[in-house]
């Protein structure tokens, strides 16, 4: 596995300072806990294939993972269904917002695993039998990706479950199509709890690095998912990870990634590194403003673009 020599010495605190001056965007207010997020929070972490973890200031500040959990739910669903999850869910970009009330026409399947409909479904496909069992399986799986025991912010989980009207609507829509096979409320409960898992930039970067390293956590050495699953997940991150901004993201940053309303972005560059950026103010597509700028700089400075050198 080739590694970027620059990533070992790259000054993440200087990058953090550079992006801190970006003052655009607004903090998500879909639940009170997110509305209270500190708009000045900004942290960046990188994890290399040999397990080296590099972080800026504030990389240990916890936040709820929100939609950055979706690639990992997809991974767990692929493992637990032996790949059959791919028949239950589309993998095409939507060109629409993350919570659009829209399913694939003809099949009634969710359009892809990176939007809410898809993640409601993937969270319902993991092993565990009932809500508690699936919650436990997800927390265990995410902890293996992160290489540490993660916890849930119970207030966030409750608020997401209670206030997620569009998620309830999507779950009922999928029930009506016969594509969701657990009760709508159970599906929302499990997905809401997965969104409420607490990570920090360092943990999320390790999670991204596990995908970038073919499913092996480079810090713990544990194989978390088969390499074919990591490949499938990273492919769908590349095409759908930034919702209706995915095309622009791939053109400019050129790195498979997943955004979230907490302001986190997780990046997975196969064979090179995993990374995470957190900063709560979001643009109109629900992507962290500073996270975009930081990812842009990382891509250029470390030459990460998938389709060619961004330098010179
Ligand atoms: N909790 C959010 C939701 O499902 C997650 C969305 C996101 O991060 N884009 O509504």
């Amino acid at each position: 596995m080739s590694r970027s020599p620059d990533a070992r010495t790259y000054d993440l605190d200087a990058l953090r300072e550079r992006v801190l001056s970006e003052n655009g965007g607004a903090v998500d207010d879909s639940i009170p806990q997110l509305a209270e997020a500190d708009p000045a929070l900004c942290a960046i972490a990188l994890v290399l294939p040999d397990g080296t973890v590099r972080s800026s200031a504030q990389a240990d500040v916890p936040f709820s993972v929100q939609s950055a959990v979706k690639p990992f739910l997809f991974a767990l669903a692929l493992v637990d269904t032996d790949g059959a999850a791919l028949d239950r869910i589309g993998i095409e970009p939507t060109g629409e917002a993350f919570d659009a009330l829209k399913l694939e026409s003809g099949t009634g399947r969710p359009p892809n695993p990176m939007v809410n409909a898809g993640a409601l479904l993937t969270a319902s496909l993991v092993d565990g039998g009932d809500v508690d069992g699936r919650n436990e399986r997800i927390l265990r799986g995410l902890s293996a990706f992160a290489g540490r025991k993660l916890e849930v912010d119970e207030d966030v989980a409750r608020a997401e479950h209670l206030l997620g009207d569009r998620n309830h609507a999507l779950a009922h829509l999928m029930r009506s199509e016969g594509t969701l096979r657990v009760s709508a409320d159970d599906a929302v409960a499990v997905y809401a709890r997965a969104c409420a898992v607490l990570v920090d930039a360092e943990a999320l970067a390790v999670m991204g690095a596990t995908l970038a390293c073919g499913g092996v956590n480079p810090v713990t050495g544990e194989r978390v998912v088969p390499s074919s699953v990591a490949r499938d997940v990273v492919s769908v991150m590349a095409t759908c990870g930034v919702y209706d901004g995915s095309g622009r993201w791939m053109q400019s940053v050129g790195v498979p990634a997943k955004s979230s309303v907490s302001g986190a972005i997780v990046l997975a560059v196969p064979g090179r590194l995993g990374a995470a950026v957190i900063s709560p103010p979001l643009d109109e597509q629900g992507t962290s403003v500073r996270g975009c700028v930081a990812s842009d700089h990382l891509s250029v400075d470390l030459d990460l673009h998938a389709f060619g050198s961004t330098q010179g």
Side-chain angles (χ1 to χ4, degrees):
M1 207 176 249
S2 73
R3 71 162 83 108
S4 160
D6 293 338
R8 319 193 135 266
T9 50
Y10 189 72
D11 191 340
L12 291 172
D13 280 311
L15 174 61
R16 178 174 177 274
E17 288 300 322
R18 227 153 121 198
V19 302
L20 263 176
S21 59
E22 299 286 334
N23 284 316
V27 171
D28 180 80
D29 61 358
S30 59
I31 59 169
Q33 291 80 359
L34 286 173
E36 285 159 14
D38 175 8
L41 169 63
C42 186
I44 307 152
L46 293 182
V47 177
L48 304 181
D50 67 359
T52 303
V53 179
R54 307 217 36 246
S55 1
S56 74
Q58 294 193 299
D60 58 352
V61 175
F63 54 88
S64 60
V65 64
Q66 298 295 335
S67 283
V69 79
K70 288 169 175 165
F72 306 98
L73 292 178
F74 182 36
L76 297 177
L78 284 170
V79 170
D80 290 355
T81 61
D82 236 342
L86 273 173
D87 301 326
R88 303 274 308 270
I89 190 161
I91 50 169
E92 300 302 334
T94 63
E96 300 201 45
F98 65 88
D99 56 357
L101 296 177
K102 204 156 163 213
L103 302 177
E104 206 175 61
S105 59
T107 67
R109 305 184 309 178
N112 70 62
M114 302 297 146
V115 293
N116 286 16
L120 284 158
L121 190 74
T122 53
S124 81
L125 292 178
V126 299
D127 280 344
D130 57 8
V131 168
D132 287 346
R134 284 199 294 279
N135 284 339
E136 206 199 300
R137 159 67 177 142
I138 289 170
L139 197 57
R140 231 179 332 110
L142 297 178
S143 298
F145 271 109
R148 70 166 98 141
K149 203 165 180 304
L150 299 176
E151 288 175 7
V152 173
D153 183 323
E154 299 294 344
D155 290 338
V156 170
R158 252 190 308 276
E160 292 280 348
H161 187 188
L162 210 68
L163 303 173
D165 290 326
R166 294 183 78 83
N167 291 330
H168 286 276
L170 279 166
H172 282 287
L173 208 55
M174 288 191 284
R175 287 285 304 171
S176 76
E177 294 284 352
T179 45
L180 178 68
R181 303 194 187 143
V182 303
S183 83
D185 194 61
D186 282 8
V188 178
V190 174
Y191 166 70
R193 204 173 157 84
C195 287
V197 168
L198 289 170
V199 290
D200 54 30
E202 224 173 81
L204 192 57
V206 177
M207 294 171 79
T210 301
L211 289 175
C213 294
V216 175
N217 183 317
V219 176
T220 64
E222 183 186 353
R223 171 160 295 284
V224 182
V225 294
S227 58
S228 57
V229 165
R231 186 204 61 188
D232 287 349
V233 171
V234 174
S235 305
V236 179
M237 288 167 77
T239 50
C240 308
V242 192
Y243 311 123
D244 44 339
S246 297
R248 168 70 58 187
W249 177 276
M250 218 39 211
Q251 177 269 327
S252 60
V253 181
V255 168
K258 182 73 207 79
S259 56
S260 87
V261 293
S262 48
I265 302 177
V266 57
L267 302 99
V269 190
R272 294 286 301 278
L273 54 81
V277 185
I278 168 76
S279 190
L282 308 176
D283 66 18
E284 262 141 43
Q285 282 149 339
T287 307
S288 167
V289 171
R290 291 192 192 107
C292 276
V293 180
S295 300
D296 248 328
H297 286 311
L298 277 176
S299 174
V300 173
D301 296 348
L302 299 179
D303 203 9
L304 300 177
H305 198 292
F307 302 117
S309 173
T310 50
Q311 291 173 334

